[in-house]
Amino acid sequence: MEVPFHRPYITEEEIEGVIESLRAGWLTMGPKTIQFERAFGEYVGAPQAVAVNSCTAALHLALRAIGLQPGDEVLVPTTTFVASAEVVGYFGARPVLVDIEPETHLMDVRKMEEKITPRTRAVIPVHYGGQPCDMDEIMALAEQHRLAVIEDAAHSLPAWYKGRIIGNIGHITAFSFYATKTLATGEGGMATTAREDWADQMRVLRLHGISKDAWKRYTAAGSWRYDVIENGYKYNTTDLNAALGLAQLRKVEWMWQERKRIARRYDAAFAGEKGLIPYQVKSDRVSAWHLYPLRLRLEALTIDRDAVAEALKARGVSISVHFIPLYHFSYYRRNGYSAEGYPQSEWVFERTLSLPIFPGMRDEEIDYVIEAVLSILRSAYR
Ligand SMILES: *Cc1c(COP(=O)(O)O)cnc(C)c1O
């Protein structure tokens, strides 16, 4: 059997939505985008939602909105996708990496506090795999040190922190609708915030800095005249993506239930297995289960993570690794970053891989993955 790492969950509803947009003749940003923003903001309890073409764009615009300057520092966990840090580099500012907690793979708040300097301007907590970070502690530190909190919520739609859905806790929250994410439109992203002025600024910046609602210039109500009030970007989304997003949003909780069911199946099958270290979700939060981390107890095994990954691949099970700590990459090494001071990130990286977990995963596929993992481990015990 071949089990893919991910399979998008696209039904007639998504297809109909896109066809409707095509028939309406709106190919780029238009009425469906507005509709998607409203529905999304409502779902995550955010007064403002700004649709863009990626989470990376949302993070970039968020840092523009808070006025990040060259020479500023932004705290970013080591163990994330490079997008969380690269956006800081766009400003000539410096991402300052923070070690993670070994149990949850979330940014360690105590270590975050140690890294705050007079230059620190913002923090980008990453809700790893869909588990929310320690937001109360992060917000308190941010208030104390006047930092902006830009949540990287690429994994966490939907996820809950102390009963509160992710999307309205930090100053700005950035979501991803990339093909493999929990709401997928191919490419896409959203920035949510309570600050209307920041939302307006992000709306202007996402379309070349052209004054607000310029897309209306193609409607009867619009005019050919517009102004450019900022140096902006081409970060707008399209109504085709928004149509996909609207259809996906209607099933977002059902898709989450599916991933949760798979996570429970894995948890039950792997419980007590001596070659594994269970991944922990803190009791006051609910994960979106974008990822299912499998953590090897290397001390019990004669093989390492890479060998387990190879053996799974040989059996047709596609896996991935989330994430290679950023200081491993040559660009970061060239710029003075190293593993020194990040023992927990190294520990996690050496023993973790991600198993397939996606809505529509068939029971026999789940069973097959479980069987493959257990038989590989059990043939490699010391
Ligand atoms: C996928 C991802 C991003 C980037 O999302 P895009 O929509 O592809 O720009 C950012 N951060 C994390 C943690 C991600 O996994």
Side-chain angles (χ1 to χ4, degrees), residues 54-56 80-81 83-84 126 152 154-155 176-178 181 188 323:
S54 72
C55 179
T56 309
T80 182
F81 184 58
S84 324
V126 177
D152 181 336
H155 299 178
S176 175
F177 310 137
Y178 179 68
K181 298 285 161 71
F323 290 93

Side-chain angles (χ1 to χ4, degrees), residues 102-120:
E103 301 84 5
T104 60
H105 307 184
L106 299 174
M107 186 169 64
D108 185 319
V109 176
R110 255 165 316 171
K111 292 184 178 163
M112 170 195 153
E113 187 172 13
E114 286 166 20
K115 298 251 167 158
I116 296 173
T117 74
R119 290 186 167 181
T120 312

Side-chain angles (χ1 to χ4, degrees), residues 128-184:
Y128 180 100
Q131 171 167 201
C133 293
D134 300 322
M135 291 311 295
D136 281 350
E137 290 82 356
I138 290 170
M139 295 308 290
L141 275 176
E143 194 166 331
Q144 192 185 335
H145 297 274
R146 298 171 164 275
L147 312 180
V149 179
I150 314 287
E151 289 170 74
D152 181 336
H155 299 178
S156 44
L157 182 75
W160 290 266
Y161 175 79
K162 298 187 178 174
R164 195 164 160 190
I165 195 164
I166 291 298
N168 65 66
I169 301 175
H171 301 118
I172 303 178
T173 305
F175 292 91
S176 175
F177 310 137
Y178 179 68
T180 60
K181 298 285 161 71
T182 59
L183 184 158

Side-chain angles (χ1 to χ4, degrees), residues 6 8-10 14 36 39-41 43-44 55 153-158 175-190 237 240-253 255-256 259 288-290 359:
H6 183 78
Y9 198 82
I10 299 295
E14 280 80 358
F36 181 40
F40 192 91
Y43 181 62
V44 301
C55 179
H155 299 178
S156 44
L157 182 75
F175 292 91
S176 175
F177 310 137
Y178 179 68
T180 60
K181 298 285 161 71
T182 59
L183 184 158
T185 67
E187 301 284 355
M190 189 80 77
T237 188
L240 301 177
N241 291 78
L244 285 167
L246 278 164
Q248 291 260 292
L249 191 60
R250 284 194 280 272
K251 54 169 75 79
V252 76
E253 289 214 4
M255 295 193 291
W256 163 66
R259 290 190 305 276
W289 289 112
H290 169 57

